[in-house]
């Protein structure tokens, strides 16, 4: 896109032009009086659609997942202190997940600032510790400059959320001149000497392991990762909730480092003598409470964010580079693998952990097996936070074209709104969310949003009438002393129908298969409520004596 100079734009028109040049199609939010002129400007722009949601938290989750699915920044709108408070969970999720998100907030009129005006909060100060950057724009002439900067900050380096607050009277102003130019995110490549050092370290290794994270997905580097892995027979493990970074049916895939990762998968990380971490910040969950890399292991850390390098573990070789550029630079090197036997052993160890028991021990195992068979090869899966996700993480084998979107922040209520955001990007692909009853009810109102806009997502709700993860930890730390983790009876199927969606309750795999088949061709959202045993707290833990 060429540089454009536009004169006499209203502030809302200038903002719309900034959003348009990012290639964004949807904005999400709850309407508010503090930014009504911006909503009015969207009325005249056919290339942009505002998705009006039931809660700002749901809007933020939709925008965050839209960004993950599209590769473009997510945009969410809200009003002053109350709307901003509601969407803060999405800002936190985008920060921990390294997702480009731009939040546009209406702020109190400039004349009322500092008087504790209606819903007044110092929004830039409030979000500064949470966001990648936060700014309040009080000069209308600087709106085009700073909104464009917001998008640039959100998508460059380690992507993240940017919060922009604009006083409501600024929206009524006019910009004398707006200079508009979209900037692509830089893709820094490693230096030649860095690549040679990595080549030498890999050539000297005996048990190397690639740990691939969200930076690989963000750079669209999956094929480059596969090429490098196959050239040198390097085993690949996925960082926390980055399942689709490498196909699970590939002989070089050796597992996922998530919550409750199987001991055999963790053992692969501990047996390795070299870890090549690409596009991952080596988080608490990925490294299993920071128990690896071990001191004797060679750590090569490649990440686009310089601050991530050495933040948690000192790397023997630290490279600030785009994941795709780095992986392509590593292809075609003089590395002769001597570790094929070890890789085969670790692959077999992973396969043992991922083998579903026959016959299934519970309905969760049976349904994941059925989902594996019935979800098309281009299907999209989102999930909420909770123990129910353990069955997906353990037993579902992601194929090459399947897309996974999940919150590394562990945010409850994420699954359904994320599915809506992803479905808007990929209307031709089936999108399925998995949630527990606790998390699903936190954003269940967004079913009405999906119904209103005709977004036919499929929501699987695993109902055990409790906050299952918390109950599990209560039983581990304070056996038999249950406080607060029990939940009441809710018919999610009836709730779905009340909100304009299809709803069905199932208790067997045959019932699920029939319901899922219908949901795949339905023209409106479908909730499939799966009744589960409260005693089965996780994949591996069951209440004693039951």
């Amino acid at each position: 896109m060429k540089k454009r100079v536009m004169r006499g734009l209203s502030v809302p028109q200038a903002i719309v032009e900034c959003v348009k040049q990012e290639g964004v199609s949807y904005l999400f939010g709850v309407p508010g009086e503090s930014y009504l002129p911006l909503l009015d400007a969207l009325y005249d722009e056919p290339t942009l659609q505002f998705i009006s949601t039931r809660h700002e938290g749901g809007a933020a989750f939709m925008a965050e997942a839209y960004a993950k699915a599209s590769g473009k920044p997510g945009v969410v709108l809200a009003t002053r202190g109350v709307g901003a408070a509601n969407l803060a969970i999405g800002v936190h999720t985008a920060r921990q997940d390294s997702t480009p998100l731009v939040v546009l907030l209406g702020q109190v009129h400039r004349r009322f600032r500092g008087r504790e005006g209606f819903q007044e909060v110092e929004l830039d100060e409030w979000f500064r510790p949470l966001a990648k950057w936060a700014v309040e724009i009080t000069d209308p002439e600087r709106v085009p400059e700073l909104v464009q900067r917001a998008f640039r900050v959100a998508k460059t380096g380690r992507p993240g959320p940017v919060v922009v607050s604009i006083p409501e009277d600024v929206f009524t102003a006019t910009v004398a001149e707006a200079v508009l130019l979209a900037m692509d995110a830089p893709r820094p490549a490693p230096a030649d000497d860095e690549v040679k050092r990595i080549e030498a370290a890999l050539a000297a290794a005996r048990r190397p392991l690639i740990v691939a994270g969200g930076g690989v997905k963000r750079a669209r580097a999956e094929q480059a990762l596969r090429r490098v892995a196959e050239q040198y027979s390097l085993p690949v493990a996925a960082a926390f909730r980055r399942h689709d970074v490498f196909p699970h049916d590939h002989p070089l895939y050796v597992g996922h480092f998530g919550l409750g990762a199987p001991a055999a998968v963790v053992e692969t990380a501990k047996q390795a003598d070299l870890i090549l971490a690409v596009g991952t910040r080596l988080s608490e969950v990925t490294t299993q409470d920071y128990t690896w890399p071990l001191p004797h292991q060679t750590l090569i850390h490649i990440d686009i964010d310089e601050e991530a390098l050495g933040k948690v573990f000192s790397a023997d070789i630290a490279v600030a580079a785009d994941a795709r550029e780095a992986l392509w630079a590593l292809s075609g090197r003089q590395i002769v693998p001597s570790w094929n036997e070890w890789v085969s052993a670790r692959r077999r160890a992973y396969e043992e952990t991922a083998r579903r028991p026959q016959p299934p021990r519970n309905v969760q195992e049976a349904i994941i097996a059925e989902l594996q068979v019935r979800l098309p090869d281009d299907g999209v899966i989102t999930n909420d936070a909770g123990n129910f996700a353990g069955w997906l993480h353990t037993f579902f084998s992601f194929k090459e074209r399947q897309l996974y979107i999940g919150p590394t922040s562990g945010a409850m209520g994420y699954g359904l709104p994320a599915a809506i955001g992803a479905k808007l990007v990929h209307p031709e692909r089936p999108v399925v969310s998995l949630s527990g009853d606790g998390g699903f009810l936190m954003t269940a109102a967004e079913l009405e949003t999906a119904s209103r806009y005709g977004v036919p997502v499929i929501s699987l709700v695993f109902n055990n009438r409790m906050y299952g993860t918390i109950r599990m930890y209560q039983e581990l730390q304070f056996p038999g002393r249950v406080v607060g983790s029990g939940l009441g009876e809710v018919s999610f199927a009836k709730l779905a129908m009340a909100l304009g969606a299809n709803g069905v309750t199932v208790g067997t795999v045959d019932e699920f298969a029939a319901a899922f088949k219908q949901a795949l061709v339905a023209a409106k959202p479908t909730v499939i409520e799966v009744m589960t045993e409260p005693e089965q707290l996780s994949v591996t833990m069951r209440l004693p004596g039951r």
Side-chain angles (χ1 to χ4, degrees), residues 16-28 42-43 45-52 62-63 66-67 69-77 151 420-427 453:
V16 166
E17 291 298 326
C18 292
V19 175
K20 279 173 57 180
Q21 70 182 5
E22 295 296 330
V24 171
S25 300
Y26 295 94
L27 304 88
F28 305 85
L42 291 172
Y43 182 88
E45 181 47 61
T47 66
L48 296 175
Q49 183 175 6
F50 177 69
I51 303 296
S52 179
M62 289 180 206
Y66 173 89
S70 68
K72 300 170 184 176
V75 181
V76 60
L77 313 180
F151 280 105
I420 297 170
K423 185 69 173 178
L424 290 170
V425 177
H426 299 293
Y453 288 100

Side-chain angles (χ1 to χ4, degrees), residues 378-392:
D378 65 346
V380 181
I381 290 179
T382 72
N383 73 250
D384 220 295
N387 273 3
F388 71 90
W391 280 274
L392 174 74

Side-chain angles (χ1 to χ4, degrees), residues 267-287:
E267 182 62 22
T268 299
K270 293 186 175 181
Q271 284 188 17
D273 64 354
L274 179 147
I275 291 173
L276 175 56
V278 184
T280 171
R281 58 187 174 89
L282 296 172
S283 69
E284 175 188 350
V285 178
T286 295
T287 61

Side-chain angles (χ1 to χ4, degrees), residues 85-385:
N86 283 344
L87 64 75
I89 187 173
V91 175
H92 178 256
T93 299
R95 184 62 169 167
Q96 291 227 317
D97 282 47
S98 305
T99 304
L101 183 73
V102 173
V103 179
L104 299 173
L105 299 175
Q107 176 60 294
V108 172
H109 194 294
R110 283 178 292 181
R111 283 186 301 159
F112 306 149
R113 295 285 281 116
R115 297 175 172 180
E116 198 177 341
F118 181 58
Q119 299 178 348
E120 181 178 4
V121 173
E122 299 295 334
L123 293 170
D124 53 340
E125 292 184 19
W126 183 15
F127 279 102
R128 195 162 288 130
L130 197 60
K132 188 178 177 185
W133 182 49
V135 62
E136 184 161 308
I137 308 177
T138 57
D139 181 355
E141 293 295 334
R142 297 197 66 189
V143 167
E145 168 209 341
L146 292 174
V147 171
Q148 289 179 97
R149 181 179 170 188
F151 280 105
R152 185 166 65 251
V153 172
K155 65 186 183 180
T156 57
R158 177 187 171 186
V162 172
V163 177
V164 180
S165 60
I166 303 173
E168 60 181 294
D169 59 304
V170 173
F171 283 112
T172 64
T174 300
V175 178
E177 181 178 272
V179 180
L180 300 165
L181 178 64
M183 191 189 85
D184 293 330
R187 292 184 171 277
D192 288 343
D193 66 312
E194 291 174 325
V195 176
K196 289 176 181 177
R197 290 177 64 201
I198 296 173
E199 178 184 4
L202 284 169
R206 292 296 176 264
R207 296 180 303 280
L209 171 67
I210 295 177
V211 179
V216 174
K217 293 177 60 175
R218 181 66 190 159
R220 300 295 192 259
E222 293 92 339
Q223 289 304 314
L225 172 63
R226 182 165 181 167
R227 178 174 175 174
V228 168
E230 290 176 346
Q231 279 186 346
Y232 312 128
S233 297
L234 292 168
V236 178
F240 179 44
R241 289 191 168 160
R242 307 302 190 190
H243 299 279
D244 57 341
V245 75
F246 200 81
H248 295 194
D249 55 358
H250 196 288
L252 291 172
Y253 181 74
V254 293
H256 163 241
F257 293 124
L259 292 164
V265 173
V266 178
E267 182 62 22
T268 299
K270 293 186 175 181
Q271 284 188 17
D273 64 354
L274 179 147
I275 291 173
L276 175 56
V278 184
T280 171
R281 58 187 174 89
L282 296 172
S283 69
E284 175 188 350
V285 178
T286 295
T287 61
Q288 306 296 292
D289 294 337
Y290 305 112
T291 58
W292 62 267
L294 298 166
H296 68 272
Q297 294 173 319
T298 298
L299 174 60
I300 303 171
H301 197 177
I302 300 172
D303 199 275
I304 199 166
D305 180 19
E306 291 184 4
E307 292 186 7
L309 304 175
K311 183 175 182 179
V312 181
F313 296 98
S314 297
D316 297 271
I317 304 173
V319 179
D322 173 78
R324 190 168 67 181
E325 294 293 332
L327 288 164
W328 282 121
L330 284 173
S331 63
R333 298 284 160 172
Q334 300 300 312
I335 301 170
V336 179
S338 60
W339 43 77
N340 290 327
E341 219 173 283
W342 181 71
V343 174
S344 296
R346 300 325 302 165
R347 171 66 186 181
R348 288 193 299 272
Y350 158 70
E351 289 175 341
E352 283 297 316
T353 70
R355 184 172 288 114
R356 290 184 295 272
Q358 297 297 334
R361 297 169 296 183
N362 48 64
V363 70
Q364 293 96 320
E365 289 176 356
I367 283 177
I368 294 301
E370 194 67 22
L371 185 64
Q372 186 79 69
V373 172
R374 295 190 178 273
L375 185 68
D377 288 350
D378 65 346
V380 181
I381 290 179
T382 72
N383 73 250
D384 220 295

